[in-house]
Amino acid sequence: MATINILTTLDDNYLTQFKVMLLSIKQTNTDDQFDIWLAHHAISESSSKQLVAFVSKLGYQLHMVHVDVDVWSSAPVLKQYPAEMYFRLLCGEYLPKTLTRILYLDPDILVINPIRSLWTLDMKNQMIAAASHNGLTGVSQTINNVRFQNKNKYFNSGVMLMDLNKMREKVKLDDITSAIDRYAKRLILPDQDILNYLYSDHILSIPEEIWNYDTRDNIVHFTKSLGSIDLPWVIENTVILHFCGHPKPWEKRNLNRFAILYKHYEQLLRLNYGEYY
């Protein structure tokens, strides 16, 4: 079977979470081979060597891709949204031209079931496949429609299957920086807002309850499904659990019902790969 290519962008603050995410992939996708691409600006040489060794021990190959952060000097950056979050938007420019498809995953994710059916998804000639988190009432969707003056869904950028050839054709740095200059004061989730403002017409919608399950919204999913999407359903059917927002499952006083599952994978990392924890 063809190798699945995974892209993540992060800084030193998310190295452990990156390892937990990769371990969850290894545990639930035993028949597949993965190439891991990590886009970064300032991960230290020692951390890079440790990551390469850890990923090799999983049986995968890690490609460290250094990105020049200066191109984002005008972009809004907050403590919780570092410059690295923008790297995914121009990934087609710095990834090898031989790569034509890649699956971007945020590091605050667990992969709890096989992911190949997403990797082989028919994208119906769209540039990106992603999910939208609409909540129970859709109020946030309405607000975003007003903000961006369109009727498109608002897509979460934490899980994106990307056609890199189309990304190279359509995604331009000048368009992104112009949008940032124009709407900087309106941007709430900066890179995600830019993604939706510029490219939502080119995104294929995929089911959030399977491919990008916001773990804060379990009651929403349960209610909207009339009780069918419960915890056993998630464990059997959901592929990607996304720990959006705060507090994160590795932080203290976390009441998220899926935090214990995250702690389980964290413990597996500690027990089986302690030298890399």
Side-chain angles (χ1 to χ4, degrees):
M1 290 188 290
T3 298
I4 297 174
N5 287 281
I6 302 290
L7 170 67
T8 304
T9 65
L10 48 81
D11 58 20
D12 280 314
N13 295 315
Y14 271 81
L15 295 181
T16 299
Q17 291 72 36
F18 177 57
K19 295 170 193 173
V20 172
M21 186 260 284
L22 292 180
L23 180 58
S24 74
I25 291 175
K26 180 67 175 180
Q27 292 286 314
T28 55
N29 292 264
T30 55
D31 295 331
D32 277 306
Q33 183 61 36
F34 292 82
D35 268 6
I36 312 301
W37 301 81
L38 175 55
H40 70 100
H41 169 64
I43 293 178
S44 68
E45 183 177 354
S46 60
S47 293
S48 295
K49 288 181 178 178
Q50 188 198 58
L51 285 174
V52 169
F54 170 70
V55 174
S56 177
K57 194 158 187 177
L58 291 180
Y60 306 148
Q61 185 173 1
L62 175 64
H63 308 269
M64 300 291 292
V65 183
H66 183 269
V67 182
D68 183 4
V69 76
D70 291 339
V71 299
W72 302 111
S73 58
S74 65
V77 175
L78 304 172
K79 181 179 180 181
Q80 65 269 41
Y81 305 119
E84 283 78 5
M85 68 183 175
Y86 290 101
F87 295 171
R88 73 195 90 172
L89 295 175
L90 281 172
C91 64
E93 297 300 315
Y94 56 75
L95 291 173
K97 297 299 186 286
T98 52
L99 280 181
T100 58
R101 176 176 287 209
I102 202 155
L103 176 59
Y104 173 82
L105 298 177
D106 272 350
D108 57 347
I109 271 174
L110 290 179
V111 178
I112 63 172
N113 276 302
I115 205 169
R116 176 161 288 277
S117 58
L118 177 58
W119 175 248
T120 58
L121 179 73
D122 178 2
M123 297 178 68
K124 303 187 185 302
N125 206 37
Q126 293 286 53
M127 181 174 70
I128 295 170
S132 56
H133 296 155
N134 293 324
L136 191 60
T137 63
V139 170
S140 61
Q141 178 66 61
T142 301
I143 293 172
N144 286 318
N145 289 150
V146 172
R147 281 203 301 142
F148 300 119
Q149 299 179 349
N150 64 32
K151 296 183 179 180
N152 298 335
K153 290 183 177 180
Y154 183 84
F155 294 96
N156 181 273
S157 61
V159 177
M160 295 187 292
L161 180 64
M162 296 186 280
D163 182 322
L164 290 175
N165 286 338
K166 286 186 170 56
M167 296 284 285
R168 294 175 183 120
E169 176 187 336
K170 291 182 168 60
V171 181
K172 303 299 179 185
L173 177 59
D174 287 347
D175 294 337
I176 295 170
T177 54
S178 294
I180 290 171
D181 289 341
R182 184 175 181 182
Y183 295 109
K185 293 183 179 179
R186 294 191 196 178
L187 301 180
I188 300 171
L189 301 172
D191 75 312
Q192 188 166 282
D193 283 350
I194 293 298
L195 172 78
N196 281 275
Y197 173 69
L198 291 175
Y199 307 115
S200 59
D201 286 337
H202 305 285
I203 301 178
L204 174 71
S205 181
I206 56 178
E208 61 173 320
E209 63 272 14
I210 296 176
W211 300 119
N212 193 344
Y213 188 104
D214 187 338
T215 59
R216 300 169 299 180
D217 288 345
N218 55 307
I219 294 177
V220 171
H221 290 298
F222 183 83
T223 303
K224 289 172 68 174
S225 68
L226 302 179
S228 63
I229 298 181
D230 55 9
L231 185 57
W233 188 97
V234 171
I235 296 302
E236 184 176 350
N237 296 281
T238 296
V239 176
I240 296 173
L241 290 178
H242 192 180
F243 292 88
C244 304
H246 287 274
K248 297 296 187 184
W250 55 87
E251 297 172 343
K252 292 182 179 180
R253 300 184 180 89
N254 190 292
L255 299 178
N256 188 309
R257 72 183 305 179
F258 294 100
I260 189 64
L261 183 58
Y262 192 92
K263 289 292 186 182
H264 167 70
Y265 279 101
E266 195 174 33
Q267 179 70 354
L268 288 179
L269 177 66
R270 185 182 296 111
L271 290 174
N272 298 314
Y273 303 91
E275 66 270 38
Y276 304 110
Y277 182 73

